[in-house]
Amino acid sequence: MLRSLRKFSQSPATKVLYAILAGLFVWWGVGGGIGQQVDWVAKVHGDTITTRDLYQAEAELRRRYEELFKNARSADLLRDMDLRGRALDELIDEALVRHEASRLGVEVGDAELVAAITAMPEFQQNGQFDRSLVERTLRFQRDRGEFEDRLRRSLVLQRVQALVTDGVQVSDAEVEERYKLDKEQVSLTFARVDAQTEGQSVTPTDAELEKQLADHADRYRLPTRTRARYVAYRPADFAAQVQLTDGEIAAYYDEHKEDRFTEVEQVRARHILVKLDPGANDEAKAAARKKAEGLLGKAKAGGDFAAIAKASSDDPGSAAKGGDLGLFGRGAMTPAFESVAFALQPGQVSDVVETPFGFHVIKVEEHKPGGLQPLDAVRAEIVKALQNERGLELARTQAEADRRKVVEGAPLAQAVGGRHIEESPVFPQGAPLVPGVGPVKAFVDAAFALREGEVSDLIETDDSIYLLTPFERSESHVPPLAEVRDRVLADVRRQRGEEAAKAKAETLRARAAEVGLAKAAAEANLKVDETGPFERRGGAIPKLGALADLRTDAFALTSPGALAPKVYSAGGDAIVAALKERTPADMTGFAAAKDGVADGLLQQRRQAAIASYMTLLKKRALDAGALEVRADGAARG
């Protein structure tokens, strides 16, 4: 089926839910039933979710959240998130929807599958579908059949969701009310009790530091680490040994005439676009054509085409470049545009051309006829390619011979002769890369799978083949206090400082309830600051950060001076806040924002509908005895 992608690559892109399609790579292999099924954690309508499925899903969730947090406390946050439970919920939901799709007879045909693939952002190059990107991706996946099956299943899930959400609507009154709520503003006064200042005077004893280290051992635990001696066999180092005959060069040329040495016909063109909105009436269409004819007249009268395009074209992607579209082949543009562009000679300007985008004036700058390149023109390219291929073979042969010597008892230095043996710095188990080697997972895995003195199998990358042997391994352990004293002390001071700041803020708030925040803060020698206005929805509160609970509580306050109902934490500091001012929404921008507000509200309603639907599917499955979860299956990981 993937052969048909070339045929469909220029068809209009089907709009596919990106999160589902991206999940094709996120959840690769999960729920596919590949490999040995040693046990199970859940059964859904006869489908089994194995421990392997769950661990893969949990690992991917962890990776996504680590990318999201990227801070020193991410490990603490992840420990509190029950990632395994979340992963199991997602797998169960997916299985429930698959069963519902089967019950409803929801299917996805090949044409829809192709449209989805051609629309995926991963496979776009310069705004166009690039089939080679699909092939490159598949080289790192299991097989094409599994790729297609997983995508088909993803589209089925999307279809079922659409059945649930298609009837969801919002009224104009609801949109206006949402805008009023969203654009209403409040401004707060607040006093901040600095946790770092409170913690500076903390002087814990060694016993208290030892207790901190024992109570939070995982926070300070050092991972298993090792170093590796390795030899890199690089194909480029062996390329000089490769001797090629004219016959070998000619044979390579004959084998790759079509896929490497045949150039497609291309033109390089500029254009001026007068944009026409879909559904425009005859009057608007006539006005647009008249404008395009006027611009054509300027170009044919000797005007600078690039300057006219820069000043007048409605194409934002090319206007700044004088309308330059670069080189493109057949199938890249709409048929009407393409047929004219390929019929023009370099330097010629077209008449007005109508396409679904509007009216164009086209000037061709270059026309490359394409066709088979002669052997002499590509000889150097062939020699380089063959030298790389043969160099890789020679490198592999040499690496295999050297490894055999080590296995037979020779020391690595003796086995590899005069080849340079490199030593890595220390790296931890699971390291994303090894300095000097790069992000080579197989290298890291081998280093921790071998005992000192053992040699790895050949580890191949695009530009090297490695042999390695690990040394200086240290097992995972909690270091003694002396090695991590500064970290432990800083953590204790931070914790005690936050506790002291919160206690001080509680006292401040109690006093503020009696005399007002300004007077209470002055008595405590604390500064009162103002946030400035902020809206109900949005990111950070000015000067305080993303305090979702304070944002919610602030919009429940009605009277100036009213205290927020509790003490809040902002980066460990304790915050006491009061309402300064409440400002109704400015409705002058409603007309322009209405469509966006409606879309946002509609998405919320649809998400709520999907959540309710999933609850219903779960209940049905439980009532029918078709959903079983092992009690220990999702123990926290």
Side-chain angles (χ1 to χ4, degrees):
M1 190 281 295
L2 285 171
R3 292 193 185 94
S4 62
L5 289 178
R6 189 182 302 277
K7 173 184 175 183
F8 283 85
S9 64
Q10 306 303 333
S11 62
T14 301
K15 192 171 184 181
V16 179
L17 186 62
Y18 178 68
I20 291 179
L21 294 177
L24 192 63
F25 302 101
V26 167
W27 298 105
W28 195 258
V30 174
I34 304 298
Q36 292 185 342
Q37 184 173 303
V38 295
D39 59 359
W40 61 277
V41 292
K43 295 181 179 180
V44 186
H45 291 291
D47 284 350
T48 298
I49 298 171
T50 68
T51 302
R52 173 179 173 274
D53 297 335
L54 178 58
Y55 284 176
Q56 285 182 324
E58 180 192 4
E60 181 52 38
L61 268 184
R62 183 175 300 278
R63 185 193 66 76
R64 284 156 52 189
Y65 280 118
E66 284 173 347
E67 285 291 313
L68 179 65
F69 293 141
K70 286 186 177 176
N71 62 52
R73 300 185 64 189
S74 62
D76 295 337
L77 292 169
L78 291 176
R79 272 195 295 271
D80 295 333
M81 291 184 66
D82 187 17
L83 293 182
R84 189 165 299 168
R86 291 175 182 232
L88 181 57
D89 287 342
E90 291 189 11
L91 292 173
I92 290 172
D93 285 352
E94 182 184 359
L96 287 168
V97 176
R98 282 202 309 270
H99 176 267
E100 185 69 0
S102 177
R103 187 182 73 83
L104 296 173
V106 176
E107 296 180 347
V108 171
D110 285 352
E112 186 175 355
L113 188 66
V114 171
I117 294 173
T118 59
M120 289 177 72
E122 293 92 335
F123 302 144
Q124 302 294 313
Q125 185 77 24
N126 298 324
Q128 297 291 327
F129 171 71
D130 188 337
R131 186 173 181 270
S132 68
L133 296 178
V134 181
E135 299 293 344
R136 189 181 308 166
T137 297
L138 289 175
R139 284 200 296 270
F140 295 97
Q141 307 298 341
R142 290 196 175 102
D143 58 57
R144 298 183 179 207
E146 187 177 352
F147 173 88
E148 294 174 13
D149 178 65
R150 188 62 192 170
L151 178 53
R152 196 183 301 273
R153 288 164 60 189
S154 295
L155 293 173
V156 166
L157 299 185
Q158 182 196 353
R159 278 268 194 90
V160 174
Q161 287 188 342
L163 292 175
V164 176
T165 60
D166 280 351
V168 177
Q169 297 179 346
V170 294
S171 68
D172 288 347
E174 289 172 323
V175 173
E176 183 174 353
E177 183 60 27
R178 170 50 61 88
Y179 183 84
K180 288 179 180 178
L181 288 173
D182 288 350
K183 295 302 178 181
E184 182 184 18
Q185 294 182 327
V186 298
S187 178
L188 301 176
T189 58
F190 67 93
R192 180 193 298 267
V193 184
D194 185 75
Q196 184 176 359
T197 301
E198 297 297 319
Q200 284 176 348
S201 60
V202 174
T203 55
T205 65
D206 282 355
E208 290 172 320
L209 294 179
E210 290 283 7
K211 185 177 187 305
Q212 168 74 12
L213 179 58
D215 290 347
H216 303 279
D218 284 348
R219 182 179 300 173
Y220 307 104
R221 178 178 293 278
L222 296 176
T224 301
R225 297 182 295 178
T226 194
R227 298 179 67 193
R229 293 188 179 93
Y230 64 93
V231 181
Y233 301 81
R234 297 180 173 88
D237 297 338
F238 293 83
Q241 302 176 25
V242 177
Q243 301 297 320
L244 300 173
T245 67
D246 288 343
E248 289 172 324
I249 294 171
Y252 187 94
Y253 175 75
D254 290 338
E255 182 181 355
H256 295 282
K257 278 181 178 178
E258 291 188 6
D259 63 338
R260 294 194 62 172
F261 305 126
T262 298
E263 293 184 337
V264 298
E265 182 185 10
Q266 292 180 303
V267 297
R268 177 170 174 256
R270 298 179 186 271
H271 82 136
I272 302 166
L273 171 65
V274 178
K275 188 176 180 181
L276 189 65
D277 292 331
N281 58 30
D282 291 343
E283 183 179 353
K285 191 172 182 179
R289 178 180 285 277
K290 183 176 180 180
K291 180 179 177 181
E293 289 172 345
L295 296 170
L296 170 63
K298 291 181 181 180
K300 289 200 169 182
D304 185 327
F305 194 96
I308 298 171
K310 191 169 185 178
S312 304
S313 179
D314 293 333
D315 178 8
S318 68
K321 298 181 289 186
D324 191 358
L325 297 170
L327 282 167
F328 56 89
R330 292 187 182 275
M333 302 295 179
T334 58
F337 189 103
E338 175 187 298
S339 63
V340 172
F342 278 87
L344 294 172
Q345 296 299 313
Q348 286 187 321
V349 176
S350 72
D351 292 329
V352 172
V353 178
E354 182 178 355
T355 75
F357 299 101
F359 296 98
H360 308 255
V361 179
I362 305 168
K363 180 181 180 182
V364 168
E365 302 281 1
E366 181 183 2
H367 193 147
K368 299 176 71 174
L372 179 65
Q373 297 174 275
L375 174 58
D376 288 345
V378 294
R379 175 179 289 272
E381 179 183 344
I382 294 173
V383 168
K384 183 177 180 180
L386 284 172
Q387 284 179 334
N388 287 340
E389 287 183 10
R390 304 283 175 81
L392 176 60
E393 294 170 6
L394 291 172
R396 186 183 295 115
T397 299
Q398 185 65 57
E400 288 173 344
D402 291 350
R403 181 183 184 279
R404 194 176 304 114
K405 295 175 187 176
V406 176
V407 172
E408 291 172 353
L412 181 64
Q414 178 182 328
V416 301
R419 298 189 187 284
H420 179 54
I421 298 178
E422 302 179 64
E423 292 187 354
S424 76
V426 174
F427 57 93
Q429 191 165 13
L433 59 83
V434 177
V437 175
V440 183
K441 184 176 183 297
F443 189 103
V444 177
D445 291 346
F448 286 95
L450 298 169
R451 291 190 294 269
E452 189 164 338
E454 294 181 331
V455 68
S456 69
D457 291 330
L458 304 191
I459 299 168
E460 295 196 21
T461 68
D462 290 341
D463 57 3
S464 294
I465 297 173
Y466 295 98
L467 279 182
L468 71 89
T469 182
F471 71 104
E472 293 185 3
R473 178 181 175 121
S474 63
E475 299 299 331
S476 175
H477 66 283
V478 179
L481 178 61
E483 293 184 18
V484 289
R485 184 183 184 87
D486 289 345
R487 283 182 60 199
V488 176
L489 177 59
D491 286 348
V492 170
R493 283 180 170 167
R494 175 179 54 79
Q495 293 167 11
R496 300 274 184 87
E498 291 178 3
E499 291 168 1
K502 183 176 182 182
K504 188 172 181 177
E506 294 285 5
T507 300
L508 171 65
R509 187 182 179 283
R511 179 60 176 157
E514 298 173 354
V515 299
L517 181 57
K519 186 173 181 180
E523 292 173 355
N525 294 318
L526 293 171
K527 175 187 174 183
V528 174
D529 202 349
E530 297 181 4
T531 62
F534 59 92
E535 296 177 354
R536 188 184 305 269
R537 293 160 60 87
I541 297 174
K543 301 181 183 180
L544 291 178
L547 306 184
D549 50 350
L550 176 56
R551 182 185 294 276
T552 299
D553 292 343
F555 281 90
L557 302 175
T558 55
S559 303
L563 285 172
K566 64 180 183 180
V567 171
Y568 303 86
S569 177
D573 297 342
I575 305 297
V576 178
L579 180 65
K580 179 180 185 294
E581 185 178 18
R582 190 168 185 140
T583 307
D586 180 358
M587 299 301 290
T588 56
F590 175 63
K594 182 178 179 180
D595 289 345
V597 175
D599 287 344
L601 184 56
L602 186 60
Q603 288 302 320
Q604 288 182 7
R605 294 278 176 85
R606 286 173 174 169
Q607 289 170 7
I610 290 171
S612 297
Y613 186 63
M614 293 311 306
T615 300
L616 174 62
L617 292 184
K618 229 171 247 186
K619 183 177 184 304
R620 281 183 188 169
L622 286 169
D623 291 346
L627 173 57
E628 183 179 0
V629 181
R630 271 179 47 184
D632 62 341
R636 287 171 65 95

